[in-house]
Amino acid sequence: MNNLTSETKLTILYIFIAFAFSVAMRMIWVYQFNGYEPFMFNGQFMINTNDGYFWAEGARDILSGVSQENDRSPITLAASQLTAIFAYILPFSFESIILYMSVFLSSLIVIPIILIAKNFKNLEMGLIAALLASITVSYYNRTMVGYYDTDMLNIVFPMFFLWSIIWGINTNQNRYLIIVAIDILLYRWWYPQSYALEFSFFSLILLYTIIFDRKNLYNYKLLAIIMIAMINLDGLIRVALVLGVFYLFTQEKFQKYVFYIFGASIVAFFITGGFTPIWAHLKGYLFAKDVIVNNEGLGLHFYSVMQTVREAGEIPFEVFANRISGHSITFILSLVGYVWLAYKHRVMLFALPMIGLGFLAWYGGLRFTIYAVPILAMGIAFLITELTSKITDKKSIKYFSYFMLTLAILYPNYKHIDNYKTPTVFNVDEVKILDKLKNIADREDYVIAWWDYGYPIRYYSDVKTLSDGGKHSGSVNFVPSFILTNTQQQAAKMARLDVEYTENIFKIIKENAELEKPKKLNIFSNIEEMTKDYGFYDTNDFLLSLETDIELPKKTRDIYFYLPFKMLNIYPTVKMFSNIDLMYGNIYERPFFFMSRNYETKDNITDLGRGVSLDLNKKIVQIGSNIIPIRRFVRTAYNDKMELQVKQELMNFSSNYSVIFMKNYNTILVLDEDTFNSLYIQLMVLERYDEDLFERVLMNPHAKIYKLKI
Ligand code: MN
């Protein structure tokens, strides 16, 4: 260590402090839930992001060496591969690896921040910015312990990108050429959507070169190697090209070819379709519609997911500012600081794409705010150090001022962390039965559930699913929605049909690919194929025919239904996806579904809240000013042996509304007849299943699994 300069030693010390701080703040959640059994499985906390189970499934399959065709397990994707590597070399359990990966990888963000500040000869600014950025609201939310998703490195990579171009432009040293190229290669491997951001960095450097530094050959080398790392070719080819070009750039005799290489790299970028993904991405955002129409065939209309996840343009300023800086005041001062910083150090203008992406949150959704976090943290840190040194030269006062101001900007973010008690995706009872199902079901069997549960089901039970966090378009969601919210007869047949049709399409695609000259396949939605195969021109007629005795496709595997209690909360949303006339796109009238968890009985009248009340003596339910007789009153409760007891009292057979009192769940439901008869209510809430169609497999109060008999 003796040959290190004191500046280098201080840099390392600051990186170490900031990294330890970032990790420690992420351990607050672990400390808060220490020993809380419902969140733990296999002796470790479970993760708290749904998508994490996707990567976990891939990593599990890489480690076991078992993977099947069409199981949607991401064994070729970076997050799964990196997880598998960690799980293989580190002495921790798989559950611990996926829980803590985000803690340690996201904390790496402190390194480029401090290194960029080193370039400005202002290490204190780097430390302050690193402390703030590592725990700012949106960065914390998306990289906290258990938030096992690509976010853990999605900001780290562009920050290293920024660091290498700033140092490259300022020092013109060759090593930054290879560092920036490696960063792009890794970033692309990790997160293929990184494309647009890389492209904007490239455009800014090009602009900078044209305006300020046209005669500097180094800039063209930088641009060329960035472009080569970015072109739309396989990763290994890009690695080889990058290494080759880097070698040429470092050799004196090849300097005269730099412009040719630069030109060739741009041509290669466009020829390989480099610009197409950027355009496609923009189009997806600008022209999204609620109901999506297939233009050919029957032209079926499906409900679009965009409608349920839309958040664009509806974000209040305070929320936006809090997410980027922790507080509105910090946010505004950060902007001022950034402008000043960019004025003093022009290279900070290269950070504009990240600020731009962060501000896109106004239109594209809150998830973008994290991109602006580290840059604006540098803004406020610059403001703090500059103003302080303008006021005093005395070291002790200076450091005291740094310390107090840093505490002030950190505090709102610390408060947020302390209050942000995110639950795990599943509780242990929901997982236990999936874990048992793993030993009952075969890998090729299907489990039908709402798409939210797709990834976790596949991770814990190692089965297949019809839908998941990455496969839930309107036409895909139609089927689980239809199954869960229609009668047992219709649901059972649709389940068999859709699973066999799904597998059959895999087969058709595979056989076609093996042909000497593969044909261009025109594949419609399963539901459309079924309609045609059963001789109908109108899908509604086909759906009605499911109530009759139709001949089903040959059974190739078993099908299970996973019905968690908590799906009750989203039942109306689940219903929406099949509550549409597929032929004409009209949305049907919403079924009646009312749930109360907060009710009070006074003088024999139970107030369910939101203007609904129940009078069991008069056998009526009052909804607003409407007084409606109750068709049946059903009471469910668990006995000592944890068996569900269901008592039903028929009240008025002409009514369309039934009431279910779920005693152990403190829940009262008011449902119309269609909802009452749906598969989900009958099998999950009442355990009343048609024994010709279903059999019980695994049950606990949190989740129930049935098996299809047909
Ligand atoms: Mn599998």
Side-chain angles (χ1 to χ4, degrees):
M1 290 289 274
N2 282 336
N3 49 6
L4 293 179
T5 63
S6 63
E7 193 198 20
T8 307
K9 280 184 197 162
L10 200 58
T11 309
I12 294 169
L13 176 69
Y14 283 177
I15 287 175
F16 181 79
I17 291 171
F19 190 86
F21 173 78
S22 171
V23 169
M25 295 300 274
R26 281 166 177 73
M27 296 306 284
I28 290 175
W29 186 94
V30 177
Y31 176 79
Q32 286 173 336
F33 288 104
N34 187 24
Y36 186 62
E37 295 293 333
F39 285 3
M40 299 184 88
F41 180 68
N42 260 354
Q44 183 55 281
F45 284 113
M46 292 178 281
I47 58 175
N48 50 44
T49 172
N50 214 307
D51 289 354
Y53 284 110
F54 177 62
W55 311 115
E57 179 190 18
R60 178 201 68 199
D61 289 347
I62 293 168
L63 289 167
S64 72
V66 178
S67 76
Q68 317 127 259
E69 272 180 302
N70 300 313
D71 64 355
R72 296 182 54 73
S73 173
I75 51 170
T76 58
L77 299 186
S80 293
Q81 292 173 341
L82 188 64
T83 307
I85 293 169
F86 283 147
Y88 190 75
I89 59 176
L90 297 174
F92 309 114
S93 70
F94 188 80
E95 284 82 3
S96 302
I97 302 269
I98 63 173
L99 182 71
Y100 287 110
M101 254 172 88
S102 58
V103 172
F104 291 93
L105 293 182
S106 70
S107 297
L108 293 174
I109 197 175
V110 304
I111 301 173
I113 293 176
I114 291 173
L115 291 180
I116 290 171
K118 183 168 182 262
N119 187 273
F120 306 145
K121 302 270 173 269
N122 191 345
L123 275 177
E124 281 68 37
M125 163 202 160
L127 177 61
I128 295 168
L131 292 172
L132 177 61
S134 69
I135 64 155
T136 299
V137 174
S138 61
Y139 193 63
Y140 174 80
N141 288 1
R142 300 189 69 97
T143 61
M144 64 182 287
V145 63
Y147 203 96
Y148 171 56
D149 205 347
T150 48
D151 298 80
M152 62 178 106
L153 284 175
N154 276 355
I155 309 303
V156 173
F157 281 124
M159 284 306 286
F160 272 106
F161 195 134
L162 186 63
W163 161 67
S164 51
I165 55 181
I166 287 177
W167 278 71
I169 296 274
N170 276 344
T171 66
N172 287 356
Q173 281 174 350
N174 281 332
R175 68 170 108 145
Y176 297 106
L177 298 175
I178 193 71
I179 291 173
V180 76
I182 290 170
D183 183 78
I184 294 169
L185 294 168
L186 287 174
Y187 192 14
R188 181 72 60 78
W189 170 67
W190 183 254
Y191 190 62
Q193 299 94 309
S194 62
Y195 216 74
L197 188 59
E198 291 160 12
F199 189 75
S200 9
F201 276 131
F202 173 87
S203 312
L204 271 186
I205 301 169
L206 185 63
L207 204 65
Y208 167 86
T209 303
I210 292 168
I211 298 174
F212 300 112
D213 204 9
R214 217 168 318 169
K215 300 229 168 74
N216 186 348
L217 197 61
Y218 182 86
N219 293 343
Y220 299 95
K221 292 183 192 171
L222 186 63
L223 286 163
I225 206 159
I226 289 174
M227 189 100 294
I228 288 164
M230 275 181 64
I231 53 180
N232 204 6
L233 291 174
D234 186 72
L236 287 176
I237 298 175
R238 283 182 287 130
V239 170
L241 286 174
V242 160
L243 291 175
V245 165
F246 179 65
Y247 172 77
L248 296 179
F249 284 170
T250 55
Q251 302 300 307
E252 199 52 50
K253 59 184 173 201
F254 294 121
Q255 297 302 303
K256 53 181 180 272
Y257 297 121
V258 167
F259 281 103
Y260 296 107
I261 296 171
F262 174 54
S265 70
I266 289 187
V267 172
F269 180 76
F270 279 94
I271 288 180
T272 57
F275 200 70
T276 325
I278 298 171
W279 175 235
H281 194 74
L282 278 177
K283 253 184 4 194
Y285 267 104
L286 295 176
F287 307 115
K289 285 195 191 129
D290 295 339
V291 174
I292 305 240
V293 188
N294 268 333
N295 283 321
E296 288 165 78
L298 296 177
L300 296 185
H301 299 63
F302 291 103
Y303 192 81
S304 163
V305 185
M306 285 301 281
Q307 197 166 57
T308 52
V309 297
R310 176 168 305 150
E311 48 181 350
E314 289 161 12
I315 304 160
F317 170 77
E318 211 191 330
V319 174
F320 176 74
N322 282 355
R323 287 185 55 103
I324 292 180
S325 298
H327 196 279
S328 306
I329 297 172
T330 317
F331 175 75
I332 290 165
L333 292 175
S334 298
L335 279 177
V336 174
Y338 172 72
V339 172
W340 191 4
L341 175 63
Y343 175 74
K344 229 182 140 184
H345 301 284
R346 209 161 49 194
V347 281
M348 276 308 283
L349 289 173
F350 291 129
L352 278 174
M354 295 187 71
I355 295 187
L357 209 47
F359 279 59
L360 207 68
W362 280 109
Y363 306 99
L366 281 175
R367 66 207 160 93
F368 288 113
T369 50
I370 51 173
Y371 286 92
V373 166
I375 309 303
L376 289 192
M378 295 183 76
I380 186 103
F382 182 74
L383 199 66
I384 288 173
T385 54
E386 281 299 291
L387 287 180
T388 302
S389 55
K390 282 222 181 326
I391 294 163
T392 175
D393 279 334
K394 238 178 124 191
K395 260 204 164 161
S396 58
I397 300 177
K398 216 160 89 175
Y399 283 108
F400 180 71
S401 159
Y402 288 172
F403 184 74
M404 296 312 287
L405 292 171
T406 305
L407 277 188
I409 56 171
L410 290 179
Y411 186 72
N413 295 291
Y414 161 75
K415 274 319 276 179
H416 166 75
I417 292 172
D418 196 38
N419 292 328
Y420 197 64
K421 299 193 171 78
T422 307
T424 54
V425 177
F426 274 3
N427 70 49
V428 66
D429 285 332
E430 292 162 329
V431 165
K432 269 185 194 153
I433 73 168
L434 287 175
D435 190 53
K436 283 188 196 142
L437 182 65
K438 181 162 66 185
N439 301 318
I440 298 170
D442 185 85
R443 270 204 181 89
E444 282 292 329
D445 291 344
Y446 272 77
V447 172
I448 292 174
W450 193 236
W451 68 264
D452 293 10
Y453 315 119
Y455 292 146
I457 289 172
R458 291 216 303 270
Y459 173 69
Y460 286 113
S461 304
D462 194 4
V463 287
K464 287 178 156 182
T465 58
L466 291 175
S467 57
D468 58 44
K471 183 184 177 188
H472 56 237
S473 65
S475 63
V476 167
N477 270 354
F478 174 83
V479 176
S481 165
F482 183 88
I483 290 171
L484 292 163
T485 64
N486 278 280
T487 64
Q488 298 186 47
Q489 272 292 337
Q490 292 170 302
K493 287 172 191 156
M494 181 57 87
R496 175 56 63 201
L497 279 162
D498 200 57
V499 165
E500 302 301 346
Y501 269 72
T502 301
E503 283 294 325
N504 196 39
I505 284 174
F506 291 149
K507 224 171 96 193
I508 290 170
I509 292 172
K510 192 183 169 195
E511 283 170 2
N512 184 56
E514 284 166 356
L515 289 177
E516 219 161 289
K517 276 193 193 133
K519 287 177 282 195
K520 195 174 178 294
L521 293 175
N522 199 3
I523 294 169
F524 294 102
S525 62
N526 285 353
I527 201 85
E528 171 151 1
E529 297 292 348
M530 292 171 204
T531 303
K532 291 173 186 164
D533 288 351
Y534 281 85
F536 292 96
Y537 296 98
D538 185 323
T539 292
N540 297 322
D541 294 340
F542 165 69
L543 293 176
L544 279 176
S545 78
L546 292 176
E547 289 283 15
T548 66
D549 238 350
I550 61 163
E551 199 187 323
L552 290 173
K554 197 174 140 272
K555 170 180 173 177
T556 62
R557 64 203 67 225
D558 283 324
I559 298 172
Y560 298 85
F561 299 82
Y562 178 74
L563 308 170
F565 168 66
K566 71 177 166 205
M567 202 197 102
L568 207 49
N569 298 326
I570 56 167
Y571 184 93
T573 308
V574 171
K575 177 70 187 175
M576 277 198 284
F577 285 83
S578 60
N579 201 35
I580 176 172
D581 180 342
L582 294 182
M583 294 304 289
Y584 304 103
N586 308 318
I587 310 276
Y588 295 136
E589 199 189 326
R590 285 169 79 109
F592 192 83
F593 175 97
F594 181 86
M595 175 168 66
S596 172
R597 295 242 164 87
N598 194 2
Y599 45 84
E600 208 179 344
T601 305
K602 228 196 231 163
D603 305 330
N604 286 323
I605 293 173
T606 307
D607 180 5
L608 303 183
R610 286 179 290 157
V612 180
S613 63
L614 201 62
D615 186 338
L616 285 181
N617 286 343
K618 291 189 187 151
K619 304 181 176 182
I620 52 154
V621 55
Q622 182 163 357
I623 303 168
S625 55
N626 295 328
I627 292 174
I628 299 159
I630 297 172
R631 185 182 178 106
R632 37 177 121 63
F633 179 75
V634 188
R635 198 185 131 96
T636 75
Y638 282 96
N639 66 13
D640 311 341
K641 289 183 218 142
M642 287 311 281
E643 295 161 335
L644 190 73
Q645 308 293 306
V646 181
K647 279 194 199 120
Q648 172 170 305
E649 190 185 334
L650 269 175
M651 291 181 166
N652 186 332
F653 219 72
S654 67
S655 169
N656 197 31
Y657 292 82
S658 294
V659 175
I660 304 176
F661 173 43
M662 304 170 74
K663 182 167 173 279
N664 302 91
Y665 298 91
N666 285 319
T667 299
I668 294 177
L669 301 171
V670 184
L671 310 170
D672 66 15
E673 199 52 12
D674 284 345
T675 311
F676 184 84
N677 287 321
S678 70
L679 173 124
Y680 178 76
I681 298 293
Q682 291 292 312
L683 268 57
M684 166 65 217
V685 177
L686 305 174
E687 296 185 10
R688 268 189 196 159
Y689 58 99
D690 182 334
E691 291 182 21
D692 292 332
L693 302 174
F694 305 98
E695 73 182 69
R696 294 164 66 102
V697 181
L698 295 161
M699 304 272 159
N700 72 35
H702 282 101
K704 298 172 185 175
I705 296 179
Y706 291 85
K707 182 175 168 181
L708 185 66
K709 274 183 159 175
I710 58 171

